[in-house]
Amino acid sequence: MRFFHLSDLHIGKQLHYYSLQENQRAVLSQIAEKAREYRPDAILICGDIFDHAVPSGESYMVFDKFLQELSAITPGIPVLVIAGNHDNARRLGYASSFLEKHQIYLSVSAPTQQEEHLKKVVLSDEYGDVNFYLLPFLKPGYVRHLFAEGAVTDYESAVREVLAREEIDYRQRNVLLSHQFYTNHGQAPERCESEQLAVSLGGLENVDVSVIAEFDYAALGHIHGAQMVKSPHIRYCGTPLKYSVSEEHHKKSITMVTLGAKGEGAVIETIPLIPIQDVRRERGLLQEIIGRAREGNRHDFLSVTLTDEKEPYHPKEQLEEVYDAVLEVRIDNTRTRNRISEQQDEDFSMQPMELFCAFYQEMQGQPMTAEEEALVEEILVEEIVDSRGDEK
């Protein structure tokens, strides 16, 4: 059984206000082309299809074209899709019954009723059946009511209990699609600037990989850099494009997985994806960086750090005369290093409420009212309680 493992398409995402639509169309077409070449038995897309809960019409068109390209391949390749934390379940799940007739299987929300279970798709090869379990992104509050009081107290227990009620036969070959934050005994996977993961106290979003270790392969989404978590068969495949400057050195790819007979282990390969525009850094004197512009690199998304001691006049405008997409221009010289050193000597140990008040003052030019402060405090408390599974 061979399948492609994809996740975090983030269709509609912008990079420093630059549209990525052309790049996303191109990379999704590459994936469809590779599917025609390698003929996988299934394609798994593990959450965050869209970057926003309310995608634009253009974003829907990008995803629709991708599904059409995959559906045009004969014989047909089943496509298994789960919702991520960026996705709106109702919007993503629209027309799911119709799509399933074309071998496109969507699971957009965790079970909410006792009679409901995870979507299970069974595919077969020469070694028998492979059971694919589709587990979309969930919070403890989504499923707590399905279990005895106290059974679900955090993200880890929520995932554990939801999987346990499926009564999975681990003597068979089983594959999990999941979009959560998995850790190895508290050791977190490497993250990127493009990931908008909520900060929760004490790592409450963590789910230990021991919960899913018995699966023959765990196809994970949520983390933007390709990496395994403890074992090669528990894997984040990463994004198909670079979505932040911190991903400059990532090698984006399709993760291709081959399962043999039960107990043989998964064979994992990567198929490189080539973007229209790369994301990279340039550092040096302004005129040096301008002089390095070539036809092969001047179209890239560029983060520039200037080291001129005498700060140039309108450096961004000068750079944009030779580079198409300048994301940001930073200055690193004696003056800026001294300023950073002075700031580091100050005390920045502020609580979340204090940070939000300071941010509001900076953005609005006035302090929050008492009513606004009360509302923000209520939201912060609700978020922490929902994560912990405690009562107010």
Side-chain angles (χ1 to χ4, degrees), residues 41 133 145 151 190 226 245 257 295 298 322 325 333 375 392:
D41 299 295
Y133 288 91
H145 63 282
E190 180 183 345
V245 177
V257 182
E295 180 57 32
R298 69 180 186 86
V322 292
N333 57 23
L375 177 60
K392 289 186 181 179

Side-chain angles (χ1 to χ4, degrees), residues 59-79:
S59 296
Y60 278 115
M61 290 174 66
V62 171
F63 189 48
D64 179 67
K65 184 175 185 297
F66 178 49
L67 293 181
Q68 287 187 43
E69 289 186 76
L70 295 178
S71 297
I73 300 172
T74 54
I77 301 174
V79 180

Side-chain angles (χ1 to χ4, degrees), residues 291-345:
R292 292 200 286 263
R294 300 287 185 274
E295 180 57 32
N297 67 17
R298 69 180 186 86
H299 307 292
D300 294 340
F301 293 109
L302 210 62
S303 172
V304 175
T305 300
L306 299 177
T307 58
D308 302 72
E309 284 298 328
K310 182 179 179 180
E311 295 180 20
Y313 178 72
H314 287 177
K316 193 169 189 287
E317 286 80 352
Q318 293 189 56
L319 289 163
E320 287 176 336
E321 290 181 5
V322 292
Y323 293 104
D324 291 345
V326 179
L327 302 176
E328 59 188 352
V329 178
R330 301 172 182 268
I331 305 295
D332 182 15
N333 57 23
T334 302
R335 182 184 64 82
T336 58
R337 285 193 292 271
N338 287 341
R339 187 174 63 188
I340 292 172
S341 179
E342 291 170 0
Q343 291 174 344
Q344 289 174 341
D345 291 336

Side-chain angles (χ1 to χ4, degrees), residues 154-210:
D154 55 16
Y155 282 77
E156 183 174 316
S157 57
V159 173
R160 181 188 299 112
E161 294 299 324
V162 166
L163 291 175
R165 74 195 291 270
E166 298 300 317
E167 300 182 351
I168 298 170
D169 183 356
Y170 288 105
R171 295 171 300 178
Q172 300 180 11
R173 292 178 297 166
N174 300 295
V175 174
L176 176 70
L177 285 70
S178 180
H179 191 98
Q180 301 288 157
F181 185 50
Y182 288 95
T183 60
N184 176 23
H185 298 293
Q187 181 180 351
E190 180 183 345
R191 287 179 280 181
C192 312
E193 292 174 0
S194 58
E195 296 159 22
Q196 298 176 358
L197 296 179
V199 178
S200 58
L201 298 177
L204 292 172
E205 283 195 352
N206 296 5
V207 179
D208 192 79
V209 291
S210 59

